[in-house]
Amino acid sequence: MKKVTVKEYGIQALRDEAQAVLDLIPKMDDQFEQAVSLMLHCKGKVIVTGVGKSGHVGAKIAATLASTGTPSFFVNPLDVYHGDLGVMTPDDVVIAISNSGQTDELLRFIPMVLHTNIPIIAMTGNEQSLLAKYATCHLNISVEREACPLNLAPTSSTTATLAMGDALAIALMQERRFQPQDFAHLHPGGELGKRLLMTAADVMRSNDMPTLTPQMHLGQAIMLVSEGKLGLGVALDEQGHITGLITDGDIRRAIERWQAQFFDHTVSDIMTRQPKCVSKHTKITEIQHIMQTHKIHSVLVTDDDRHLLGVVDHYSCML
């Protein structure tokens, strides 16, 4: 008989949990839509509660909801008996999680919620449970069996619960038309938040700009472009307005084309006369889109009169 490897145990666990999530799909009904509607129109907060493993999952669901535009937090039902009931108002909605639907600590907490006329969204694996019975709407998170070989440790059931919580959050995001900018405002410390909130002014290089004149010979221009260490030079007229841009690539192509006559030519002979420019208020994400669309590595930052304020290159955007 072939010995089962440790890897195969792990693969089977993943298959069992993946199947448990897929099995939720046929159980999605108008109760799910009602739950989303309750949360969407909630004027207060969504309060998630649960005990044990359900509590851990509930805390994550609350965090996901909060970070995707639904004011939410987790409350341990045990703490409710010691003053935390005061955080609840009739404008709130409660999500109560219990796989059995019969968790004693949770059931003792439910009458307090009902007395305050707060809607309850129950997430249980037992449609006949007391929690399901007293809830405003019920989301069925039942699983055929746990991934645990003893069918005891909460594994598939907690995965299914977490997935149902994500389904609620995603549906709410769609209904709210939640945009990347909204996500960034709630995650200002993350990479996405930085890219969405930061502007050209935050990352541009503005000192020691490699500036040239259109009449400058290319031999002198090469020296200034090299000293600038940006791989480019910006051509300005006598009033300081941008008239063009040359890059290392422009210089290489000019050398290949003119060879010995290269030094007889000026910046105006090879410069791009309409370089891509942005304002200092342009978001980094928009600058990245411009670079990708036009296959360029830098953009110029200008004021309304086309005076050079700085340069943003590809590396500046790598936050």
Side-chain angles (χ1 to χ4, degrees), residues 225-280:
V225 170
S226 177
E227 290 174 4
K229 298 181 180 179
L230 285 173
L232 56 80
V234 185
L236 307 178
D237 63 16
E238 294 180 357
Q239 289 74 43
H241 299 114
I242 296 172
T243 60
L245 174 75
I246 67 171
T247 66
D248 285 340
D250 295 327
I251 293 172
R252 287 194 301 272
R253 287 185 289 273
I255 292 173
E256 292 174 0
R257 177 182 177 185
W258 291 316
Q259 298 184 20
Q261 286 74 45
F262 170 80
F263 294 97
D264 298 330
H265 290 271
T266 63
V267 169
S268 64
D269 293 329
I270 67 170
M271 69 183 185
T272 299
R273 298 180 183 275
Q274 294 294 328
K276 298 301 176 185
C277 299
V278 300
S279 79
K280 65 180 181 180

Side-chain angles (χ1 to χ4, degrees), residues 186-222:
L186 297 175
H187 300 74
E191 179 181 350
L192 177 61
K194 290 179 181 178
R195 286 194 289 114
L196 288 169
L197 296 177
M198 294 184 75
T199 65
D202 296 317
V203 301
M204 69 182 185
R205 173 175 162 182
S206 57
N207 298 322
D208 302 321
M209 290 290 94
T211 57
L212 321 168
T213 66
Q215 299 79 27
M216 184 180 292
H217 281 86
L218 291 178
Q220 184 181 358
I222 287 178

Side-chain angles (χ1 to χ4, degrees), residues 78-301:
L78 299 176
D79 294 332
V80 170
Y81 307 113
H82 300 281
D84 281 8
L85 188 63
V87 304
M88 299 186 183
T89 73
D91 291 329
D92 297 335
V93 170
V94 165
I95 297 178
I97 305 172
S98 169
N99 187 45
S100 69
Q102 300 289 138
T103 305
D104 182 63
E105 297 91 340
L106 200 58
L107 291 178
R108 287 191 283 126
F109 160 58
I110 294 303
M112 305 179 194
V113 179
L114 294 174
H115 178 73
T116 319
N117 294 318
I118 298 176
I120 299 173
I121 300 170
M123 295 175 61
T124 84
N126 182 0
E127 292 183 292
Q128 305 304 317
S129 65
L130 287 175
L131 180 56
K133 177 181 177 181
Y134 287 109
T136 309
C137 58
H138 175 250
L139 302 179
N140 188 346
I141 53 169
S142 61
V143 298
E144 185 173 340
R145 62 171 287 111
E146 300 287 359
C148 166
L150 303 177
N151 195 30
L152 294 175
T155 45
S156 296
S157 58
T158 50
T159 299
T161 306
L162 188 60
M164 184 62 78
D166 287 342
L168 289 171
I170 298 306
L172 284 164
M173 288 177 68
Q174 297 285 6
E175 289 295 300
R176 295 185 195 282
R177 293 177 172 80
F178 195 78
Q179 300 299 313
Q181 291 80 5
D182 301 315
F183 190 89
H185 282 290
L186 297 175
H187 300 74
E191 179 181 350
L192 177 61
K194 290 179 181 178
R195 286 194 289 114
L196 288 169
L197 296 177
M198 294 184 75
T199 65
D202 296 317
V203 301
M204 69 182 185
R205 173 175 162 182
S206 57
N207 298 322
D208 302 321
M209 290 290 94
T211 57
L212 321 168
T213 66
Q215 299 79 27
M216 184 180 292
H217 281 86
L218 291 178
Q220 184 181 358
I222 287 178
M223 298 296 294
L224 293 176
V225 170
S226 177
E227 290 174 4
K229 298 181 180 179
L230 285 173
L232 56 80
V234 185
L236 307 178
D237 63 16
E238 294 180 357
Q239 289 74 43
H241 299 114
I242 296 172
T243 60
L245 174 75
I246 67 171
T247 66
D248 285 340
D250 295 327
I251 293 172
R252 287 194 301 272
R253 287 185 289 273
I255 292 173
E256 292 174 0
R257 177 182 177 185
W258 291 316
Q259 298 184 20
Q261 286 74 45
F262 170 80
F263 294 97
D264 298 330
H265 290 271
T266 63
V267 169
S268 64
D269 293 329
I270 67 170
M271 69 183 185
T272 299
R273 298 180 183 275
Q274 294 294 328
K276 298 301 176 185
C277 299
V278 300
S279 79
K280 65 180 181 180
H281 304 296
T282 305
K283 295 290 196 300
I284 295 302
T285 48
E286 184 178 345
I287 292 174
Q288 289 177 316
H289 177 71
I290 292 172
M291 290 180 181
Q292 293 169 1
T293 300
H294 298 282
K295 295 180 171 58
I296 57 177
H297 295 286
S298 304
V299 297
L300 306 182
V301 184

Side-chain angles (χ1 to χ4, degrees), residues 64-80:
T64 299
L65 290 170
S67 69
T68 53
T70 300
S72 177
F73 62 88
F74 176 79
V75 169
N76 188 318
L78 299 176
D79 294 332
V80 170

